[in-house]
Amino acid sequence: MKIHRFTNVEELRETIFRSPMEQYVLLALTDREIKLAPHAIRRMRQVAEDTDVSMVYAYYREENEDGSLLDHPVIQYTPGSVRDDFDFGGLVLLNAADILSASEDFTEEESKYLDGGWYALRLRMSQGHFFQMIPEYLYTMQRVDYRKSGEKQHDYVDPRNVAYQEEMEQVLYDHLYEVDALVSQDREQVYAFDTPLEPGEVTASIIIPVRNRVKTIKDAVISALSQKCDFDYNVIVVDNASTDGTREALLSIDDPRLKLILLDGTEGLGIGGCWNEAILSEHCGRIAAQLDSDDVYASENTLQIIVDKYKEDGYACVIGSYFMTTIDFKPLPPGLIDHREWSDDNGPNNALRLNGFGAPRSFVRDVVRGILFPNVSYGEDYAMCLKLSTNYKIGRIYDGIYYCRRWDGNSDAALSIEQVNAHNRYKDFLRTNELVARVRHNQENPLENLETPDNNIDDDYLI
């Protein structure tokens, strides 16, 4: 079986028509040379025939410059695997009939997308069909990207990729429309300031979960305590059994606004669990604002800006924009990350495609108390924002109000392929869960006057 290099959907259809007797098409999704393992094609075809799936893909290896090999496992595709950067590897086996069926009404414009229409094609093929991953190393490709995980994670918000992001947003919208998973524009409103404060209650709390960050924790706490506001606030630090001097550093800070929740480690809490401890605490103000233990606010006005945003509309969550810097505040690319791809009309839908909502994140306490964060140390913030975006309005601040500092101590600075896969698998689980929930909601509450995909999104609502 010949390997065909995928360029665009139109050419792929022509390839199938030229080979009418072929049940499957073997596609290279990369220009890199693919070295097949013995009997690799036979194995992929065997799995496709046994399971009657639309696509088969497999583990692969990458060859380093020194000739050594790096194992590159991939993860199983799920209904929530709707991000456009899902890693199928460089080689896939597709059912030819399913390709033709999925691309029957493909437009000329879609084939001219920057990815040739691949994202749209595989989303359509996934509707009513399954993709099968083979956990066996069936081929090898030359390794071309040697960056660490922390250096790759913001590629999707690089301003140079705006045109691509616009196309991918439209493709996902079309898919969600077809599977009845679009979020209604008529979302609930929350007003956090319409009743007087209770005795001893503060308007806002800055929440900092921490474990073993003695190098940076004081920077974060001092930044939090230095905020200038026209309301009362406090700072809740949840120390998750630190053993490196972090707890001692916290105990040395003498400020009545600092509220410490000291855990002994037997609670088994991740970052999400620590957030729940703070949110459920008697000290928590009506607005809970995030500050990571190795980051700082960009100015003494950050908290005031966040709280003022809530007064504009009935938001359940407000998310700011941040600058990427080194530990000593030297700018890092891509610089300001403002997530301008968000729109009030389509942001909750497009969020299923992206890996994050932005920072700093803040929430209406009483809304979050009714949901709570999952007790994990990755994706807990994405889970909460995704859930809130389905039912509530999300406010955005596009000015930079936060410094996200990158250094060797970041938990995501240099993840292994297996760890990256675990993170992606978890976020795909969250997307699947929310996607199913949205479909169920729409089936029980049909959206009225929903415009067709071609008319619903225009350039004003894209990046």
Side-chain angles (χ1 to χ4, degrees):
M1 180 180 291
K2 179 182 178 181
I3 298 177
H4 300 276
R5 173 67 172 97
F6 176 80
T7 54
N8 60 65
V9 173
E10 184 178 349
E11 289 191 6
L12 177 57
R13 287 176 60 87
E14 292 177 359
T15 296
I16 295 173
F17 289 137
R18 288 196 300 267
S19 306
M21 302 304 293
E22 291 290 342
Q23 183 179 2
Y24 298 102
V25 179
L26 192 61
L27 281 186
L29 303 178
T30 176
D31 288 328
R32 288 185 278 171
E33 180 186 2
I34 295 175
K35 301 176 182 178
L36 294 170
H39 315 297
I41 297 177
R42 179 176 179 177
R43 179 59 172 152
M44 295 179 78
R45 184 165 188 147
Q46 180 185 54
V47 170
E49 291 173 346
D50 287 346
T51 58
D52 192 29
V53 293
S54 285
M55 182 194 301
V56 170
Y57 60 105
Y59 286 10
Y60 61 98
R61 291 189 172 94
E62 292 184 292
E63 185 175 355
N64 293 309
E65 292 176 347
D66 62 4
S68 61
L69 297 179
L70 174 69
D71 287 348
H72 198 124
V74 291
I75 64 175
Q76 180 62 50
Y77 195 92
T78 67
S81 301
V82 294
R83 51 196 169 86
D84 54 270
D85 63 349
F86 186 90
D87 183 14
F88 292 101
L91 186 69
V92 295
L93 184 75
L94 302 177
N95 183 293
D98 290 344
I99 293 174
L100 294 178
S101 176
S103 61
E104 185 175 10
D105 59 350
F106 235 67
T107 66
E108 183 178 351
E109 180 183 357
E110 287 175 301
S111 274
K112 291 181 179 178
Y113 278 168
L114 292 171
D115 72 339
W118 167 251
Y119 183 44
L121 176 65
R122 59 101 159 170
L123 286 181
R124 291 188 192 181
M125 291 184 67
S126 71
Q127 296 174 20
H129 298 89
F130 293 97
F131 300 163
Q132 183 64 281
M133 180 270 292
I134 304 176
E136 303 164 13
Y137 296 96
L138 298 186
Y139 60 96
T140 300
M141 300 187 297
Q142 194 69 32
R143 185 179 180 186
V144 296
D145 192 345
Y146 287 84
R147 293 178 299 164
K148 295 179 179 179
S149 59
E151 298 169 327
K152 302 177 185 179
Q153 69 179 117
H154 294 102
D155 287 354
Y156 71 103
V157 290
D158 192 317
R160 293 173 296 182
N161 298 328
V162 168
Y164 174 83
Q165 294 294 332
E166 288 178 347
E167 292 175 351
M168 298 303 101
E169 179 175 359
Q170 183 65 61
V171 169
L172 178 62
Y173 182 91
D174 294 352
H175 173 68
L176 297 179
Y177 176 87
E178 290 164 1
V179 300
D180 199 17
L182 286 174
V183 171
S184 168
Q185 296 180 21
D186 185 22
R187 290 184 288 281
E188 293 183 47
Q189 302 215 9
V190 177
Y191 291 95
F193 302 97
D194 57 355
T195 57
L197 293 173
E198 298 292 334
E201 186 182 24
V202 295
T203 295
S205 293
I206 298 172
I207 295 178
I208 308 175
V210 63
R211 176 177 171 82
N212 291 341
R213 284 288 185 270
V214 68
K215 183 176 180 178
T216 60
I217 186 59
K218 274 200 168 183
D219 291 345
V221 174
I222 291 172
S223 170
L225 292 173
S226 299
Q227 295 300 295
K228 305 297 183 184
C229 306
D230 62 12
F231 52 82
D232 291 334
Y233 78 96
N234 60 27
V235 179
I236 303 175
V237 179
V238 184
D239 178 50
N240 196 4
S242 292
T243 58
D244 69 340
T246 294
R247 179 163 297 186
E248 290 73 15
L250 290 168
L251 292 170
S252 71
I253 300 174
D254 184 16
D255 192 311
R257 295 172 299 167
L258 178 60
K259 310 298 181 182
L260 299 180
I261 298 177
L262 306 178
L263 306 178
D264 63 16
T266 61
E267 300 87 354
L269 299 183
I271 295 174
C274 290
W275 258 93
N276 291 336
E277 291 291 309
I279 286 286
L280 296 172
S281 164
E282 63 179 351
H283 303 299
C284 189
R286 291 192 174 179
I287 301 299
Q290 164 251 343
L291 178 59
D292 286 351
S293 59
D294 45 9
D295 296 335
V296 299
Y297 288 148
S299 79
E300 62 185 15
N301 301 314
T302 291
L303 187 59
Q304 182 74 55
I305 293 170
I306 291 171
V307 171
D308 285 348
K309 185 68 179 180
Y310 280 95
K311 298 176 183 179
E312 295 180 9
D313 208 337
Y315 302 120
C317 172
V318 166
I319 305 171
S321 301
Y322 60 97
F323 299 100
M324 293 292 298
T325 76
T326 63
I327 190 72
D328 51 357
F329 303 103
K330 293 179 181 178
L332 288 174
L336 176 65
I337 297 179
D338 54 16
H339 284 274
R340 285 190 179 272
E341 77 281 348
W342 180 272
S343 68
D344 289 338
D345 286 339
N346 197 49
N349 298 311
N350 198 33
L352 287 167
R353 185 178 63 87
L354 305 178
N355 263 329
F357 278 76
R361 298 166 293 277
S362 61
F363 312 94
V364 173
R365 175 199 62 199
D366 292 343
V367 176
V368 173
R369 281 180 173 175
I371 300 173
L372 295 182
F373 290 83
N375 183 31
V376 294
S377 291
Y378 175 82
E380 75 290 335
D381 51 346
Y382 183 79
M384 178 60 70
C385 291
L386 193 61
K387 176 63 68 177
L388 290 174
S389 71
T390 297
N391 299 307
Y392 299 97
K393 299 188 70 173
I394 306 294
R396 306 295 309 213
I397 298 169
Y398 294 112
D399 295 325
I401 58 173
Y402 189 91
Y403 288 124
C404 180
R405 301 197 290 176
R406 310 303 298 173
W407 61 299
D408 291 341
N410 289 134
S411 58
D412 58 357
L415 300 177
S416 67
I417 292 171
E418 289 77 13
Q419 288 172 312
V420 171
N421 282 346
H423 286 179
N424 285 331
R425 188 181 298 111
Y426 181 66
K427 281 195 173 177
D428 281 358
F429 156 74
L430 295 175
R431 295 182 183 102
T432 298
N433 186 70
E434 199 59 36
L435 189 71
V436 172
R438 291 177 179 186
V439 170
R440 290 188 62 192
H441 176 272
N442 289 343
Q443 289 176 346
E444 295 170 2
N445 306 275
L447 298 178
E448 296 182 1
N449 302 319
L450 181 65
E451 298 182 25
T452 60
D454 291 339
N455 296 326
N456 196 285
I457 301 183
D458 58 36
D459 291 342
D460 293 335
Y461 294 131
L462 299 176
I463 297 173

